[in-house]
Amino acid sequence: MSDITQEAWRKYLIQLQVHPLRTKAITAGCLAGCSDLIAQKISGVKRIQLRRLLLIMLYGFAYSGPFGHFLHKVMDIIFRGKKGSKTVAKKMTSSPWNNFFFMMYYGLVVEGRPWGLVRSKVRKDYPSVQLTAWRVYGNRYSNLR
């Protein structure tokens, strides 16, 4: 790593220790924004949808970062001293809720669709979204066995 990168990483880790919630919220917002920006470019849009990008960043900042922060604190208490792939799998219990909540947020807030349309779309698409997420998680953590 370059000196600048190492110094930035060191300062980030200090902020993570001193202000963990704030740092995680800002990080989640930035990562969500970068993710959406890349998704928009890959999808071939001619102009970046700035409103969508900012709303996705807001989701990361206001929900993903804080929720993840507090969830992991609770999980560390529940699973204190336990290690291994079974513990990791049990700690991933938030995946169904996170996917459901994001689909609702995206439909209602980002796309501005009415409740009835969002509800029917979530009912239709949620099972396949969740199964895909579990497959990805399963593949990612299968090397822990």
Side-chain angles (χ1 to χ4, degrees):
M1 270 199 256
S2 73
D3 291 340
I4 295 170
T5 307
Q6 283 182 325
E7 183 62 15
W9 183 249
R10 187 185 69 75
K11 288 181 178 182
Y12 175 78
L13 292 177
I14 289 170
Q15 287 301 308
L16 202 51
Q17 285 183 337
V18 177
H19 305 287
L21 180 58
R22 178 179 72 188
T23 305
K24 290 173 187 176
I26 293 169
T27 301
C30 291
L31 290 174
C34 289
S35 172
D36 187 61
L37 182 65
I38 292 167
Q40 287 189 47
K41 290 304 264 180
I42 288 172
S43 71
V45 296
K46 300 285 186 228
R47 268 182 74 186
I48 296 298
Q49 299 169 16
L50 188 58
R51 178 183 177 277
R52 173 182 142 171
L53 178 72
L54 293 174
L55 287 171
I56 297 294
M57 289 179 77
L58 177 64
Y59 175 85
F61 176 78
Y63 172 75
S64 291
F67 180 79
H69 172 77
F70 289 113
L71 175 73
H72 287 285
K73 283 191 167 299
V74 169
M75 291 297 182
D76 287 344
I77 291 167
I78 293 171
F79 296 104
R80 181 172 279 133
K82 296 179 182 173
K83 305 273 186 222
S85 60
K86 287 184 180 179
T87 302
V88 170
K90 289 175 184 175
K91 285 185 172 185
M92 294 187 310
T93 57
S94 67
S95 172
W97 168 254
N98 284 336
N99 288 333
F100 172 77
F101 190 75
F102 181 78
M103 290 176 77
M104 296 298 285
Y105 176 84
Y106 193 85
L108 293 169
V109 177
V110 177
E111 292 181 333
R113 294 179 185 224
W115 167 249
L117 286 175
V118 173
R119 185 179 62 199
S120 63
K121 181 156 177 55
V122 169
R123 276 187 182 157
K124 178 180 161 272
D125 294 345
Y126 177 77
S128 65
V129 167
Q130 189 54 48
L131 285 172
T132 301
W134 279 331
R135 277 191 217 114
V136 169
Y137 283 132
N139 291 337
R140 185 183 306 163
Y141 294 107
S142 64
N143 64 346
L144 294 176
R145 293 185 204 139

